[in-house]
Amino acid sequence: MTESKLPSKENFSEWYHELLKAGQIIDVRYPVKGMCVWYPSGFALKRNVYDLMRVLLDPDHQETQFPLLIPETEFMKEAEHIKGFEDEVYWVTHGGTSPLDIKLALRPTSETAIYPIFKLWVRSHADLPLKIYQIVNTFRYETKHTRPLIRLREITSFKEAHTVHASWEEAAEQVEAALTIYAEFYRRLAIPFLFAKRPSWDKFPGSDYSIALDTVMPDGRTLQIGTAHLLGTNFATTYDITFENEAGEQEFVNQTCYGVSERCIAALISVHGDDKGLVLPWSVAPVQVVIVPILFKEKEATLEVCRDIKAKLAAAGIRVEIDEGDERPGAKFYRWEMKGVPIRIEIGPRDIKNGVAVLARRDGKKLTVSLDDLQTTILNEAADLHEVMLARAQAFQESRVKDCETVEEAKEQTQAGVARVGWCGLEDCGHAIEDEVGAAVLGEPWRSEETYQGSCVICGAKTEKCALLARQY
Ligand code: A5A
Ligand code: ZN
């Protein structure tokens, strides 16, 4: 394995790309733009992250799988949806050398694959609510600059949920339930975020409204790491999805959908990583504890103790490895730090004599622990480390979100992070904000407890509405 020197995180973009390689997450050398290869260790991380997603969804959703290819005839039915996606669709036009009668789209997302089948599955109010999800690859011919894990043409790990309800209000409640699930998902990854209701010109094509989660990246630009959409009856009317209500009448269903992609891994790497490499949350780290034996004398006896500790920790459900290689301890520390392992245990002959080990956390905290309490101490330190990581990330985010009174101030603030400005809510003023500030309107804060009082930065009208602005990935 080659050891590469990581640039400082100050040079975020270089640092990010180098870390994907040095941390063995993604190999970007695949010869199709926007399509990347998961290294086995990156895949192991991804699997743990998506297992967590499954744990959160499974109590109230059923996992399923729909086909990758969508007939043009189905894809082209919903006008708004087509307008939003037509420039991004890959088409399959041939089977072997024969042109297909009906072209097939590679799903950019699966509404048009799933909803014709929902029409068959939903008959009466007894079939509702229906809540399914799938974790699949989707394809988007992105024309903006592609970036590994962030803007892909093959999204390998698109988690999309689709739900069907008897009323608009019930669907709106489901959007909130989805946001609560995503909030918990990101809490367990120690990633802070902002909720924003996307402006009308940036909602999901075919939705009534879209709520997004945005996280602030180290360079102050935001990354949209999840979205939940209220679809209302827009797709139901197109695909004729109806149910018989309790009064025996046919009614259109109301729908939602919500999605998360491997951008969650991009956020994980970017928010927590440091100049030494990855910093992985305990909840998803493929290796949670690495034992590094300090082998200068009594080699076999030391290894014996280490193997015994490993067996005990593994039996307690901890993902633990022992590094028995020939390198010097310093070289091993360097490598496991790069991989982001949350806790390292160092044990040498003298420690064994004293019945202790040195525990080093990935955030730099070091302590000497009695071997008798090792397991309990590890679990306590892991829990504390999570809180420290979350608090640090939250403090960073808070430092990068500021109220601004003028376009000029907002222009400056969006170089560093997110600006909050008064916005009367009119579309014209919204577009003017984007043009004059040179940043995107993320939307109005959602689920915010504060009430805003100010005036629109464009027209000056007094308003209780505000908008978050940022330069976006
Ligand atoms: N059907 C709904 C859920 C949907 O497609 N929503 S979405 O278009 O907003 O995509 C869901 C999430 O996927 C986005 O919030 C974003 O985090 C992620 N995403 C979108 N395009 C992406 C791309 N090209 N590469 C990686 N992630 C992407
Ligand atoms: Zn205005």
Side-chain angles (χ1 to χ4, degrees), residues 275-328:
D275 287 356
K276 292 179 176 172
L278 298 170
V279 178
L280 300 181
W282 175 268
S283 56
V284 293
V287 179
Q288 294 170 310
V289 173
V290 62
I291 302 170
V292 179
I294 311 297
L295 301 169
F296 51 95
K297 52 180 185 181
E298 298 166 51
K299 203 168 161 178
E300 266 315 304
T302 307
L303 281 177
E304 257 335 288
V305 173
C306 290
R307 287 178 194 142
D308 184 50
I309 292 173
K310 178 186 167 176
K312 283 195 182 121
L313 295 180
I318 294 173
R319 298 188 287 272
V320 54
E321 278 204 22
I322 169 167
D323 190 341
E324 298 196 13
D326 294 330
E327 289 163 299
R328 285 175 302 103

Side-chain angles (χ1 to χ4, degrees), residues 309 343-361 364-378 381:
I309 292 173
I343 291 179
R344 178 178 77 224
I345 312 258
E346 305 161 18
I347 303 186
R350 193 181 318 149
D351 300 315
I352 293 172
K353 218 164 281 162
N354 295 334
V356 298
V358 173
L359 187 155
R361 294 189 348 188
K365 183 177 171 192
K366 261 192 171 197
L367 53 161
T368 302
V369 263
S370 149
L371 288 178
D372 297 333
D373 306 332
L374 191 56
Q375 187 182 316
T376 323
T377 312
I378 287 174
E381 291 300 322

Side-chain angles (χ1 to χ4, degrees), residues 422-426 429-430 456-461:
W423 173 36
C424 64
L426 288 179
C429 285
C456 176
V457 279
I458 300 297
C459 70

Side-chain angles (χ1 to χ4, degrees), residues 122 124-130 164-167 170 243 253:
V122 175
S124 88
H125 58 88
D127 300 322
L128 302 178
L130 175 63
V164 189
H165 306 269
S167 69
E170 210 185 283
F243 71 104
V253 298

Side-chain angles (χ1 to χ4, degrees), residues 109 111 140 142 150 152 158 204 224 227 229 259 261 263:
T109 167
E111 286 71 14
R140 294 185 180 184
E142 294 278 0
I150 290 177
L152 296 159
F158 193 70
F204 184 68
Q224 174 183 299
T227 29
H229 314 290
S261 77
R263 280 185 185 182

